[in-house]
Amino acid sequence: MTKKRRKKIGIKISISIILLFITLFIDRWINIPDNPVTITLMLVFWFVIFNLFAPKFIQKYKKILIVFYSGVLVAFYYYRFQADQYEHYLAVKNEWILPILIGSLPLLVLLWGYEQWKLIDTLKQEKTQAEMSLLKSQINPHFFFNTLNNLYALTIKNSDRAPEVILKLSDMMRYTIYEGEKERVPIEREINYLKNYIELHKIRYRNNNDIQFNIDNTENNEIAPLLFIILVENAFKHGIERLTTNPFIRIQLVSNSKGIFFSIKNNFEEENDAIGGIGLKNLERRLALTYPDKYDLSIKKLEKEFEVQLNIYMHD
């Protein structure tokens, strides 16, 4: 809140309090029990005060509040002036007028609290979406650089497989740009994306690397896009790209009615201690945001092998 706005609110509160004291003084001086003018001014005073501290709430429910309290005031005026005896008016006031006025206050507070909770929840969701977009933006450029390097290597060699690489790269870019922005995609599309990535690497290395991708997709579940690629890319980067003898990658993906179960294992050089790093931290943060309490992530680093298992459950 700016200094100017605080000053403006302070002036309004001061004026309201001064008018309140003037009203109470006049009421005491005139000495009319339940003076309708005093009651009306008191109600307006609290309405103004509430509007200063919760203007959005008042603006949203202004019509309802005006209709409700206007109705209560009309009923109050009627019984105050039309009652044959003052005792009859007091009975009516104590029976329902005061309970309605007093009972409406906690209801207003509860409604205001609910509106505040909704606002906080909306802000949290917006923050989560912004953070998720940032995490995805940290991943995508790395994919493109790797696949462009594959294409560059092939064009230098005038390989006849360059058109195939361009097509697969195009599919990957289309998936990353259009599907990657969605909250969920069919697991089949994620599988095709992984296949393209693996095939691009196979074309690049042109050797007999042991790369296995076993799929058991009996249920085409939906999943947050671009999760598994972090693990696959990690296996290539720290395994096959650095090993000269007997490199391997074993990937298994199962999708059934219970959920999606993904595991990947690769070997690596002993001196390579930097496996995972930012990529795995990024993955863990995305999982925590997307699947709170609905996933298990197991990371095992043995002497010369690195294994990750990720289970995502579709139901509680």
Side-chain angles (χ1 to χ4, degrees), residues 179-268:
E179 303 295 326
E181 294 299 317
K182 297 179 180 179
E183 291 186 8
R184 297 287 190 275
V185 296
I187 188 64
E188 188 64 38
R189 296 183 186 177
E190 187 77 2
I191 290 172
N192 290 336
Y193 182 74
L194 296 177
K195 286 180 177 178
N196 281 338
Y197 184 87
I198 294 170
E199 286 301 316
L200 284 172
H201 275 283
K202 287 182 177 180
I203 293 172
R204 175 184 176 185
Y205 293 117
R206 281 182 170 273
N207 54 27
N208 295 320
N209 291 326
D210 186 4
I211 303 172
Q212 298 180 20
F213 187 13
N214 298 316
I215 303 165
D216 182 9
N217 183 18
T218 57
E219 183 84 15
N220 195 23
N221 291 306
E222 290 194 337
I223 189 172
L226 305 173
L227 284 178
F228 302 134
I229 192 64
I230 300 173
L231 299 174
V232 176
E233 184 183 46
N234 195 61
F236 275 98
K237 179 179 178 181
H238 298 285
I240 286 179
E241 290 186 9
R242 301 190 181 189
L243 287 169
T244 55
T245 57
N246 301 320
F248 72 84
I249 295 178
R250 306 272 197 279
I251 306 171
Q252 184 171 7
L253 190 152
V254 177
S255 177
N256 55 37
S257 58
K258 295 181 179 179
I260 299 171
F261 309 95
F262 182 89
S263 66
I264 184 167
K265 180 191 293 186
N266 66 278
N267 55 348
F268 64 94

